[in-house]
Amino acid sequence: MNPILILSGKGKTGRRVAAQLEARGVPYRLASRSSERRFDWYDESTWADAIRGTHTAYLAPPVGPTGLAQAGKFVEQADGLRRVVLLSGRGVGSPGRDFAVYDGQLDLENVVRASGLDWTIVQPAWFAQGFSEDFLRYHVLVGEIRLSAGTGGEAWIDTDDVGDVMTTALLNESYVGQTLAISGPRTLTMTEIADELTTATGRPIKYVDLDPEAHVAELTEQGLTPEDATAVRDLFTVIRNHRSEYVSDGVEQVLGRAPRDFTDWARETAATGVWAG
């Protein structure tokens, strides 16, 4: 069997897909800037060698319009691939998504659909692990979740569920040509998230609602490029505008079970000590 190519294999979803394939004895190849076969989204000379000898790829594209455009170019130039599973975003293509980051995601989805490859697109809600494995972990540690999400809700999903859905889509051809929207079992506002994390950690954590432009300013001060900071703001503005307050049934559709609840995830994650620093 040809190995499955996992692009961004060290990311939150890529690591989980690799672990699932490992457990099932399915060969795979991680491709990144530091892998044996170097892969860089922004260095097109690295693309052909990463693909060589593979027929199926999992794509977790970079954040921001430029990175999404590069991922589209990769799909268009991916000679030898026959099948691709794309990590996208829930709600891409819906009315009212008038932000550059959504335009880029929609453009990438359209490139994948028109590529002539067998494709599956998975559109998850925001990852719960953003609070434990990403920049939001720092917010939990200092006791202030500083975001521009307003009073809007999101159906936060456990990234382990995302990895399970992705792996199933990679290995099961019945999902070819499908777009799968997946989420957690209920919506939570940022204030409710802060309450959940307060209970899980035993420490007071509050939500501070930022003005969207103030949010961009804070993100750039923290080291994000203006483009990436604007992309993050736009994603949270979708929540702020109450456009994410719905539950998607893709986890049950693919895995035959309910998605994990945020309360259970937060309690078990707190027990690992990740928020004890």
Side-chain angles (χ1 to χ4, degrees):
M1 178 184 292
N2 294 90
I4 292 175
L5 177 63
I6 303 176
L7 300 178
S8 302
K10 295 185 177 180
K12 285 190 290 296
T13 58
R15 295 198 313 272
R16 288 167 168 85
V17 171
Q20 286 282 351
L21 295 176
E22 181 84 27
R24 301 182 193 199
V26 177
Y28 62 89
R29 176 188 301 162
L30 299 179
S32 69
R33 291 178 181 176
S34 59
S35 60
E36 183 177 353
R37 294 197 188 190
R38 182 173 174 271
F39 176 85
D40 186 339
W41 287 109
Y42 302 98
D43 182 355
E44 297 176 24
S45 70
T46 66
W47 294 357
D49 192 50
I51 293 170
R52 191 170 294 111
T54 67
H55 294 153
T56 300
Y58 170 59
L59 273 62
V63 174
T66 301
L68 293 167
Q70 285 297 107
K73 290 178 69 175
F74 170 83
V75 171
E76 291 174 333
Q77 298 177 25
D79 292 338
L81 283 186
R82 301 174 187 169
R83 172 119 169 78
V84 62
V85 174
L86 172 69
L87 174 69
S88 188
R90 200 168 63 128
V92 171
S94 300
R97 309 298 175 138
D98 53 349
F99 299 117
V101 65
Y102 274 105
D103 290 342
Q105 286 178 320
L106 180 59
D107 289 345
L108 176 55
E109 287 192 4
N110 288 337
V111 167
V112 168
R113 292 188 177 100
S115 65
L117 303 172
D118 290 337
W119 58 265
T120 304
I121 296 171
V122 181
Q123 299 176 328
W126 274 78
F127 300 157
Q129 275 81 352
F131 293 101
S132 62
E133 300 178 14
D134 212 336
F135 72 101
L136 295 176
R137 176 175 177 265
Y138 174 77
H139 294 226
V140 179
L141 290 173
V142 300
E144 281 193 350
I145 301 173
R146 300 176 61 81
L147 300 170
S148 56
T151 60
E154 171 69 28
W156 301 83
I157 187 169
D158 183 349
T159 314
D160 288 344
D161 286 340
V162 180
D164 290 348
V165 169
M166 293 294 186
T167 304
T168 301
L170 282 163
L171 299 178
N172 189 331
E173 292 187 358
S174 67
Y175 295 105
V176 169
Q178 293 194 35
T179 300
L180 305 169
I182 60 176
S183 78
R186 61 189 172 114
T187 61
L188 292 164
T189 66
M190 286 298 174
T191 298
E192 291 169 330
I193 289 288
D195 290 342
E196 292 275 354
L197 293 172
T198 294
T199 300
T201 63
R203 295 185 290 104
I205 297 167
K206 65 179 180 179
Y207 168 51
V208 179
D209 181 26
L210 298 177
D211 173 83
E213 295 313 311
H215 191 190
V216 171
E218 286 199 7
L219 291 170
T220 53
E221 287 174 6
Q222 294 163 11
L224 267 68
T225 66
E227 180 184 273
D228 288 348
T230 299
V232 172
R233 177 207 63 191
D234 287 354
L235 289 168
F236 280 109
T237 300
V238 172
I239 300 176
R240 188 182 189 89
N241 291 344
H242 301 274
R243 294 184 179 277
S244 287
E245 291 175 342
Y246 62 97
V247 171
S248 301
D249 65 357
V251 172
E252 287 188 326
Q253 176 187 341
V254 175
L255 303 178
R257 61 167 176 80
R260 193 181 191 192
D261 188 78
F262 191 92
T263 299
D264 297 330
W265 171 82
R267 181 181 63 251
E268 293 178 22
T269 300
T272 69
V274 70
W275 295 312

